[in-house]
Amino acid sequence: MVSSCKLTRCISCTVIDGIKQWRAEGLPLTTPSDEACKMFDATVTQIAKTCEDPTVGGTGTTLQKMLEADPNFVLGLALKNHLSRKKSFNDAKYAAELDQLVALAEKQNVTSREKLHVQAIKLQAEGEGMKACQVWERILVDHPHDILALRFAYMSYLVSGQSAQIRDTVCRVLPQWNISHPLYGYLLGLYAFGLEETNLFDQAEKTAKKALELNRQDSWATHSMTHVMESMGRTREGETFLSATESDWAPLSHVTYHLYWHWSLYNIEEGNFENALSVFDSKIASHLKNSGSWFTMTDATSILYRLEFEGVNVGDRWKTIYDFCVGHPWEHTWAFEDAHLLIGCSRGKDQEKCKQVMNSLKDFAEHGQGDMKRLTSVSIPLLEAIQCYEAEDYAGAIDILLPIRYNIIQIGGSHAQRDVFNLLLLHAAIKSKEPVHHKIARSLLMERRQLKEKSPMVDRLLEKVQAAISAES
């Protein structure tokens, strides 16, 4: 049994009886094991902090110890299932495990809160992420300190592009927290990102700063700050900020390599392409090889695609991404990933794989289920536009993208992540041979200028477009 740990928030390590402490928190756990409570707490704490804590062995170790202490711990099993949910919707074994979990919850007569968690986990595993969010929100009405329900809803809103809900799910519970709670600062970090995604930049920056004053190693608050600076065009300041705080956020964070992605974006915006490639090579490409992370694949793809938009020769760097794309199963659990998967196969010059990706997605549109099936009305045309661009059919890409550009938010990710598709449209318009498309490019750049006044990228591209328009006059 763990007698102590160095986590800021580890309820069960503050007393001998973890069961009683969780009950006192108003979040009773149905398990006879104090050790299971402690390891559950340690796991949830790391999730809340967006980190892996070596003092307890990381989330893999705490999950394992939790279920060793109580193999029938319902909420613990629900947590484990959720963290391993990157499964095909048609995975019969996984579905059977969830059915067994539901039956176990009924047999044990667990609390209504725990039953709702199990219900939400099952819904999300079936692809019904938004219905799962409704259940997590129901939990938060009665249990605003249930950080697990909050984090699960929050991340589901993020992968479905629900910007206002990213903000408001925290908004609704924040007044019922206070600074005495060990995780309060991390809640502010979550809130700051929601504020940024809804264009409340000043408020987002103040909130992120407050979170970092409480916890300088809060990588999600750091992430929120990088978004503020990117959105406002404060890229040089962003580079300085990341450089000055790297020792705080780089070790053991779940978003470390995504923060390096932001660092690359700053360099691309400023035209420092060699610096962007250096970050890609030293941080992101190596992590993709070692981790097998789909999230890192999207970051890596995005960097190289943006650099090629700028005319940069990236050499053979696409091979790492292509090897990943063809070596992992295509599960269509996140439309944002599907788009980057197609780009990776396209840049790998594998037309057969590209056809397989499109056919797989169209088959999913017919036979799949849940939110992602409904979203194929946006994701399929987006992928078709990517194919047009890759085939140098720039007019075709424009014809597809212009009508859906304001619907692409539904594929999820942040505004900064989805901006690669704004750039796809913009560069298709620049490369098109039709004069009207050059004027569309100019209009898009004027729009971009209004939203981000300080943008070296806009300066570069406007010069190119104006030269094309002048030559046609």
Side-chain angles (χ1 to χ4, degrees):
M1 179 177 291
V2 176
S3 59
S4 65
C5 80
K6 296 180 181 178
L7 288 166
T8 302
R9 158 78 173 172
C10 201
I11 299 171
S12 52
C13 291
T14 62
V15 290
I16 295 174
D17 190 342
I19 297 171
K20 288 183 179 179
Q21 184 64 25
W22 275 94
R23 189 177 298 121
E25 287 274 321
L27 301 168
L29 301 176
T30 305
T31 175
S33 170
D34 284 330
E35 179 70 357
C37 287
K38 291 179 181 181
M39 292 299 100
F40 177 80
D41 184 52
T43 305
V44 171
T45 299
Q46 291 171 92
I47 293 170
K49 291 186 172 185
T50 321
C51 77
E52 295 290 318
D53 194 304
T55 65
V56 291
T59 53
T61 297
T62 54
L63 275 171
Q64 180 181 345
K65 289 182 177 179
M66 173 188 70
L67 293 176
E68 286 174 354
D70 181 2
N72 294 316
F73 178 19
V74 168
L75 191 52
L77 287 166
L79 173 57
K80 178 180 179 292
N81 274 282
H82 181 81
L83 295 180
S84 62
R85 74 183 185 279
K86 187 69 177 177
K87 305 272 188 178
S88 168
F89 298 136
N90 298 318
D91 188 327
K93 181 179 177 182
Y94 188 51
E97 289 175 1
L98 289 171
D99 288 338
Q100 291 170 8
L101 179 58
V102 172
L104 183 61
E106 290 297 330
K107 180 180 179 180
Q108 289 191 9
N109 193 28
V110 300
T111 66
S112 58
R113 179 179 71 93
E114 291 169 306
K115 284 183 179 179
L116 287 172
H117 266 293
V118 171
Q119 180 184 343
I121 298 302
K122 192 170 190 301
L123 282 168
Q124 185 155 77
E126 294 169 348
E128 298 289 355
M130 289 303 95
K131 290 182 180 178
C133 284
Q134 293 174 14
V135 178
W136 283 315
E137 294 287 6
R138 178 65 187 86
I139 292 172
L140 290 168
V141 169
D142 292 327
H143 303 282
H145 287 173
D146 190 329
I147 192 69
L148 202 59
L150 179 64
R151 284 285 307 199
F152 287 171
Y154 184 95
M155 296 309 294
S156 294
Y157 291 136
L158 176 55
V159 300
S160 59
Q162 303 285 324
S163 299
Q165 283 287 55
I166 294 170
R167 178 196 65 206
D168 293 347
T169 191
V170 185
C171 245
R172 287 188 282 271
V173 302
L174 189 57
Q176 299 185 70
W177 289 59
N178 60 61
I179 200 169
S180 66
H181 195 290
L183 290 179
Y184 177 74
Y186 297 95
L187 201 67
L188 293 178
L190 295 177
Y191 186 40
F193 178 67
L195 291 167
E196 181 278 328
E197 288 295 286
T198 49
N199 303 322
L200 299 172
F201 301 132
D202 290 343
Q203 192 176 349
E205 183 169 2
K206 291 176 183 176
T207 305
K209 284 182 176 178
K210 186 175 180 180
L212 290 168
E213 287 170 2
L214 293 171
N215 308 292
R216 56 185 284 183
Q217 294 179 320
D218 183 347
S219 58
W220 195 263
T222 300
H223 171 251
S224 300
M225 188 70 81
T226 63
H227 273 272
V228 170
M229 293 177 180
E230 195 279 334
S231 294
M232 299 182 75
R234 294 158 53 190
T235 49
R236 291 183 182 176
E237 186 180 349
E239 288 182 70
T240 300
F241 169 70
L242 286 178
S243 178
T245 60
E246 186 176 10
S247 61
D248 292 327
W249 54 260
L252 306 171
S253 168
H254 294 161
V255 293
T256 292
Y257 297 94
H258 185 61
L259 288 170
Y260 283 121
W261 175 80
H262 277 278
W263 206 328
S264 293
L265 288 200
Y266 292 152
N267 278 293
I268 293 171
E269 175 69 44
E270 292 289 332
N272 299 324
F273 304 133
E274 288 302 318
N275 289 348
L277 283 172
S278 177
V279 174
F280 176 89
D281 291 338
S282 63
K283 302 297 182 182
I284 296 172
S286 58
H287 185 252
L288 178 60
K289 290 178 183 177
N290 295 330
S291 69
S293 165
W294 276 94
F295 189 60
T296 303
M297 182 278 288
T298 65
D299 280 350
T301 301
S302 178
I303 290 172
L304 296 189
Y305 214 40
R306 292 169 195 242
L307 285 168
E308 288 195 333
F309 285 153
E310 296 275 356
V312 177
N313 182 349
V314 302
D316 63 356
R317 290 177 174 88
W318 280 109
K319 186 177 185 306
T320 298
I321 297 170
Y322 170 73
D323 288 346
F324 176 96
C325 291
V326 298
H328 289 72
W330 307 334
E331 297 171 332
H332 307 303
T333 54
W334 190 16
F336 181 80
E337 286 177 353
D338 286 340
H340 288 76
L341 168 64
L342 181 64
I343 293 169
C345 292
S346 295
R347 305 314 290 148
K349 308 301 182 184
D350 191 335
Q351 293 306 311
E352 184 59 34
K353 289 295 181 186
C354 292
K355 290 179 183 177
Q356 290 175 15
V357 171
M358 288 302 304
N359 289 339
S360 175
L361 185 58
K362 289 176 180 178
D363 181 72
F364 183 77
E366 186 174 351
H367 301 109
Q369 62 190 72
D371 298 334
M372 292 303 105
K373 176 181 179 178
R374 291 186 284 274
L375 192 55
T376 53
S377 61
V378 176
S379 61
I380 288 176
L382 174 59
L383 268 64
E384 289 173 340
I386 292 169
Q387 284 189 310
C388 286
Y389 185 89
E390 292 298 309
E392 299 184 5
D393 177 9
Y394 303 122
I398 294 165
D399 288 343
I400 295 172
L401 285 172
L402 274 175
I404 67 167
R405 63 184 297 235
Y406 289 106
N407 298 330
I408 292 175
I409 189 173
Q410 296 173 38
I411 72 169
S414 67
H415 297 317
Q417 288 175 300
R418 290 187 308 273
D419 193 41
V420 71
F421 304 116
N422 296 327
L423 294 173
L424 177 67
L425 171 59
L426 177 58
H427 283 275
I430 291 172
K431 290 185 175 184
S432 172
K433 295 180 180 179
E434 297 185 25
V436 66
H437 290 157
H438 298 154
K439 293 180 180 179
I440 289 174
R442 181 175 61 186
S443 296
L444 292 171
L445 286 165
M446 294 299 181
E447 171 191 297
R448 198 173 181 90
R449 167 72 75 211
Q450 292 302 310
L451 297 174
K452 189 183 292 186
E453 293 182 9
K454 299 177 182 178
S455 173
M457 182 188 291
V458 169
D459 294 339
R460 293 193 300 272
L461 298 180
L462 264 177
E463 184 176 348
K464 184 182 294 187
V465 170
Q466 292 286 21
I469 292 174
S470 296
E472 293 158 357
S473 300

